[in-house]
Amino acid sequence: MKIVACYSNKGGVGKTAASVNLAYAFASGGARVLLCDLDPQGAAGFYFRVKPSSKLQNETFFEDEHQVAKAIRGSDFENLDILPANSSFRDFDVFLSQMKNSRSRLKKMLKAVGGEYDVIVLDCPPNLSMLSENVLKAADLIVVPVIPTTLSERTFEQLLDFVGGGGAKDTSARDRIVGFFSMVQRNKLLHGDTMARMREVHPDRMLRAVLPFATDVERMGVHRAPVLDFAPDRPSSRAYRQIHAELCDRLQTA
């Protein structure tokens, strides 16, 4: 079983869209996939028309794998199940702070419920927190969408500093962080300059695939489905397939 976390310490970068489309891509390739929505806004579950379990509340998520397993829902797509979020997930940090071995709780839970899956994709809330430390410890790959702007570049560097010893307890996570450029507008000089600079600074960390700014991604909320399903031939879908292919290559050596 491999765990892929779609994570960013900055909101609005296309993290959930990436989670949804990558989970779909893994499943379409024949892998048995669980998409685990850790964001209390519950957008990933919404895209798949899945309602959260009202019984999966508070510390139960980390202490009762049987209740977590019962909260998993099937999707409309073969090989793809969803563990939807509910509003109580906003208190994860409170409960984690009160638990023993708090930084390993997520990894322990995923191992307990993930035996029948080949890949678990995590859609993570945008912050640096105790839950973030759990994600960094659990994931085989941490995939970070980066809009090629100065502020997004700065937050990406902040994440690397955090896992490099500036806050996280698991500094090995730095080696498992990969980024891809999201919402790219090639006619913007700033975007081109930022991508070139970041590729020079992080030659082995930034994926080759580039996700263009596209209304197709915004239409996911209307269709309530992955772009790869309702617009498979569009540039955004081609980009997600390229991202998926690069991640598969990296997971083979993870």
Side-chain angles (χ1 to χ4, degrees), residues 49-252:
R49 304 173 185 269
V50 174
K51 294 183 178 180
S53 169
S54 59
K55 295 182 180 179
L56 191 60
Q57 298 283 333
N58 304 328
E59 67 270 26
T60 302
F61 184 92
F62 299 103
E63 294 185 334
D64 189 345
E65 62 265 25
H66 300 294
Q67 198 67 47
V68 173
K70 288 171 61 177
I72 294 173
R73 304 287 185 254
S75 75
D76 293 334
F77 305 103
E78 188 175 0
N79 295 326
L80 179 54
D81 291 342
I82 316 295
L83 178 58
N86 63 55
S87 60
S88 74
F89 286 19
R90 70 187 184 278
D91 295 323
F92 273 173
D93 281 345
V94 175
F95 298 111
L96 284 169
S97 68
Q98 300 168 354
M99 294 178 179
K100 295 180 179 179
N101 301 316
S102 60
R103 292 179 178 86
S104 302
R105 285 286 180 165
L106 178 63
K107 186 174 184 178
K108 181 180 178 182
M109 185 278 291
L110 293 175
K111 284 189 173 182
V113 302
E116 64 182 86
Y117 298 102
D118 301 307
V119 179
I120 296 179
V121 177
L122 306 178
D123 182 29
C124 308
N127 50 38
L128 291 172
S129 64
M130 191 167 288
L131 178 61
S132 303
E133 293 185 31
N134 270 259
V135 168
L136 295 170
K137 189 173 184 65
D140 296 289
L141 278 180
I142 301 117
V143 183
V144 184
V146 181
I147 300 175
T149 62
T150 304
L151 186 58
S152 289
E153 180 182 8
R154 179 174 180 268
T155 55
F156 186 72
E157 298 296 340
Q158 287 176 333
L159 174 61
L160 293 177
D161 289 343
F162 179 76
V163 299
K169 303 298 182 182
D170 182 12
T171 56
S172 67
R174 186 183 177 96
D175 297 331
R176 292 179 268 121
I177 293 175
V178 297
F180 72 88
F181 293 114
S182 176
M183 302 184 189
V184 174
Q185 300 181 60
R186 294 191 179 274
N187 62 331
K188 287 190 174 183
L189 182 61
L190 175 63
H191 282 204
D193 289 347
T194 303
M195 288 192 292
R197 182 172 56 253
M198 291 188 69
R199 289 195 189 283
E200 183 177 358
V201 174
H202 305 290
D204 299 320
R205 197 180 297 282
M206 303 307 297
L207 301 182
R208 296 184 301 275
V210 171
L211 180 68
F213 180 84
T215 57
D216 296 318
V217 177
E218 296 176 339
R219 289 168 55 209
M220 285 173 56
V222 177
H223 291 273
R224 296 186 71 177
V227 174
L228 285 168
D229 175 62
F230 68 82
D233 298 322
R234 297 290 294 165
S236 53
S237 289
R238 292 196 293 271
Y240 280 128
R241 283 194 291 270
Q242 291 169 6
I243 294 168
H244 168 253
E246 290 189 63
L247 295 181
C248 286
D249 289 341
R250 293 189 181 232
L251 284 171
Q252 289 179 1

Side-chain angles (χ1 to χ4, degrees), residues 8-61:
S8 174
N9 44 320
K10 186 178 188 304
V13 298
K15 170 185 55 60
T16 296
S19 303
V20 167
N21 282 284
L22 289 175
Y24 178 92
F26 280 116
S28 296
R32 298 165 299 172
V33 180
L34 174 65
L35 173 58
C36 181
D37 190 354
L38 299 175
D39 192 331
Q41 296 182 71
F46 172 82
Y47 283 140
F48 283 107
R49 304 173 185 269
V50 174
K51 294 183 178 180
S53 169
S54 59
K55 295 182 180 179
L56 191 60
Q57 298 283 333
N58 304 328
E59 67 270 26
T60 302
F61 184 92

